Amino acid sequence: MNFWNLLARATTTCMLMSALLVPASTLANTNDPIQVVHVNGLADVDERSYAGIVRGMDLFEQRRAMAPNAELRFELQPIRARTVMKNIKLQVTDGSTSIPVTLADDLSFTVPRLANMPVARAQLRSNRRKDTLLWRARIRTPGLPPNTRRLGDLRLEWHVDYVSNLGPHWISPGAKVMMAMMERPYEMKGLQHLFLADRPLFGVTMIAGARRHVLSSDMLYLTEMNSVLPAFLLSLWKDREFIKDRAFDLPLSDASWPDDTLVVFDHMDDMTSASSAPTASEASQ
């Protein structure tokens, strides 16, 4: 592998958990009634830039041909296995005024577009301490079979994460500069990105018509990342073992896989249940 490929891989893997920067955009007005409450100042909270979230929403509208039947939501996931994901509250706040954001039972949410709040100061704030939650975009086409995602959804999901700056805050300045110059950063050759399945994985298969491809082991469980990233970067995960069980990578830059490619997950618990189920002859006894 030549120097530039090594440099690209080392740089882009620094943003594995997702993403960064953004194009500028404007906020739309809304005529919906909004409940406004006052909040006290909070310190050391897990929060994300409201302006960044809106940039991600704008990007989704601009690129929605990649996922024409999907909707954009955002979601929260735990970073540590022991994190309790109950009683989480979200709000958009400028420090003195707060607008509640409804969190669904599956920990997903949409963010209102607000024209009456100072964008530069506004944050999407949780009631949890900093670096306890994983913030992600969620783009899912309805009507797919169970345990199945669509590649175009995942490509766009990655890009929304990137422009919304939803990832952790230890991305290197060099990575930010390089990725900011790219209109479609997921098309970069050799790019790796950390996707997380809902549950621990046994395997992942890509299907496009008659073409099938089972992801190799180096695309699962942080395997390739372990060989590229130095230990101090890997240690930035709060609970690497918890993340590793659900981690997978995809050939996002390979244009031979169309956006309608299905990505099918085999989960560990499903395989365990299947192996422990009685056979037909056993069930008949």
Side-chain angles (χ1 to χ4, degrees), residues 15-269:
M15 34 164 328
L16 301 173
M17 308 87 177
S18 102
L20 314 160
L21 304 149
V22 49
S25 85
T26 57
L27 297 179
N29 290 304
T30 178
N31 296 320
D32 297 334
I34 295 173
Q35 178 187 358
V36 178
V37 296
H38 293 281
V39 296
N40 297 322
L42 300 173
D44 195 30
V45 295
D46 213 331
E47 62 186 8
R48 292 295 183 272
S49 163
Y50 174 65
I53 295 288
V54 173
R55 287 195 294 269
M57 289 163 28
D58 289 344
L59 176 71
F60 175 75
E61 294 302 328
Q62 295 163 11
R63 303 287 173 83
R64 67 176 310 138
M66 297 174 64
N69 298 315
E71 69 166 333
L72 170 64
R73 295 181 68 83
F74 297 92
E75 66 181 3
L76 299 176
Q77 296 184 27
I79 289 180
R80 298 177 178 91
R82 64 181 182 272
T83 301
V84 177
M85 300 297 284
K86 293 182 179 180
N87 302 318
I88 299 175
K89 304 294 183 183
L90 295 179
Q91 59 188 3
V92 179
T93 180
D94 62 1
S96 59
T97 301
S98 172
I99 297 165
V101 173
T102 301
L103 192 63
D105 291 341
D106 64 358
L107 301 179
S108 70
F109 58 95
T110 58
V111 180
R113 292 176 179 267
L114 308 170
N116 58 345
M117 185 172 286
V119 177
R121 297 203 310 268
Q123 298 290 320
L124 178 59
R125 177 173 293 175
S126 76
N127 61 342
R128 296 299 179 89
R129 287 190 174 278
K130 184 178 180 180
D131 294 333
T132 58
L133 300 172
L134 187 60
W135 303 67
R136 311 282 292 207
R138 177 190 286 186
I139 299 174
R140 303 197 179 190
T141 295
L144 295 178
N147 301 331
T148 302
R149 299 288 304 275
R150 184 176 167 279
L151 185 59
D153 297 2
L154 289 163
R155 281 172 167 149
L156 185 53
E157 187 175 276
W158 184 94
H159 205 177
V160 171
D161 271 349
Y162 167 72
V163 302
S164 299
N165 200 16
L166 290 182
H169 300 296
W170 50 74
I171 307 303
S172 72
K176 289 186 177 184
V177 170
M178 184 172 69
M179 301 308 289
M181 295 187 294
M182 304 180 64
E183 182 179 358
R184 300 166 71 89
Y186 54 82
E187 293 182 347
M188 181 175 179
K189 298 295 183 182
L191 175 68
Q192 292 175 307
H193 171 63
L194 179 66
F195 286 102
L196 294 176
D198 296 331
R199 312 197 312 273
L201 284 168
F202 180 80
V204 180
T205 304
M206 298 175 66
I207 303 173
R211 184 183 179 192
R212 298 174 64 92
H213 172 66
V214 178
L215 292 187
S216 59
S217 60
D218 63 354
M219 302 286 279
L220 304 174
Y221 314 131
L222 299 178
T223 304
E224 183 71 13
M225 301 166 198
N226 287 338
S227 67
V228 175
L229 285 180
F232 81 92
L233 283 177
L234 289 170
S235 69
L236 292 171
W237 281 113
K238 303 302 179 184
D239 188 339
R240 221 172 105 213
E241 292 304 309
F242 174 61
I243 297 295
K244 182 180 74 173
D245 288 344
R246 301 183 292 136
F248 66 99
D249 194 9
L250 289 169
L252 298 183
S253 63
D254 187 346
S256 70
W257 290 101
D259 284 341
D260 284 331
T261 297
L262 298 181
V263 181
V264 182
F265 304 105
D266 292 317
H267 296 286
M268 285 289 189
D269 51 1

